[in-house]
Amino acid sequence: PIVLNKPVKLVGSVAFVPASVGPDPMPTTIIDGGGAAGHGITIINNTHDVTVENLEVRNFGGNCIHAAGGNNRLMVSNNYVHHCNLSSGQGGIYANGSVVGVTIQNNRVHNADRGIILWNGVKADITIHNNHVHGPGTPSGILLNDGTSTGVHITDNLVENTEDTGI
């Protein structure tokens, strides 16, 4: 697992594989948990100005990308996220607590209990754009749950083959 506790850009490399929705080009830097418990990438509480980009994050018992809470100005972009937290109801890309200025774009997420989740507290100035969230194995697509939201833009996403919730 990787733990981020200060403003940082965690950026992998890419290879050109044209895609209509999701990462384009596809990431070639892989973070593989091998089924280990815990989250793949954790952004510690109140760590701001973090970018997670151009990575394949897979096979973790917890969330593949986990923003623990209050992570303002978070950018999660051009990632391929899969086989995350298949038994406890969290998922692929998870941001907890009150957040402002979060952008989640150009990601592909599958085989996670929930695809993209913003949970708890006030959510303001949020952009969720051009992601591909799909099953099988992904009951819920894009979720904004518990708390209030303002200035949220959810555009040009493809959510398909989910067993429960789309957006």
Side-chain angles (χ1 to χ4, degrees):
I2 295 172
V3 176
L4 307 175
N5 61 7
K6 59 184 172 183
V8 67
K9 290 184 178 184
L10 182 61
V11 180
S13 62
V14 295
F16 182 72
V17 179
S20 60
V21 180
D24 183 16
M26 285 292 284
T28 58
T29 303
I30 300 170
I31 301 170
D32 190 331
H39 307 303
I41 298 170
T42 298
I43 304 152
I44 296 296
N45 255 353
N46 296 312
T47 302
H48 308 299
D49 302 304
V50 170
T51 297
V52 177
E53 184 174 36
N54 298 338
L55 299 170
E56 180 175 349
V57 186
R58 65 185 187 200
N59 298 322
F60 283 94
N63 299 311
C64 277
I65 299 173
H66 178 85
N71 305 106
N72 295 334
R73 298 174 305 281
L74 171 66
M75 166 75 78
V76 180
S77 178
N78 207 52
N79 298 290
Y80 179 33
V81 176
H82 59 99
H83 293 90
C84 317
N85 208 349
L86 294 173
S87 61
S88 67
Q90 292 183 27
I93 300 170
Y94 179 92
N96 185 46
S98 294
V99 290
V100 176
V102 172
T103 299
I104 300 172
Q105 65 183 12
N106 303 326
N107 299 286
R108 180 176 176 205
V109 181
H110 68 87
N111 288 89
D113 270 2
R114 296 178 176 140
I116 298 170
I117 313 149
L118 280 81
W119 205 280
N120 296 320
V122 176
K123 295 164 278 298
D125 301 323
I126 308 298
T127 299
I128 301 173
H129 174 73
N130 199 44
N131 298 285
H132 185 192
V133 181
H134 64 91
T138 305
S140 298
I142 298 173
L143 300 171
L144 276 75
N145 250 18
D146 298 340
T148 60
S149 301
T150 184
V152 175
H153 304 276
I154 301 175
T155 59
D156 299 322
N157 296 283
L158 176 59
V159 178
E160 62 182 343
N161 198 22
T162 58
E163 292 90 22
D164 184 20
T165 308
I167 299 174

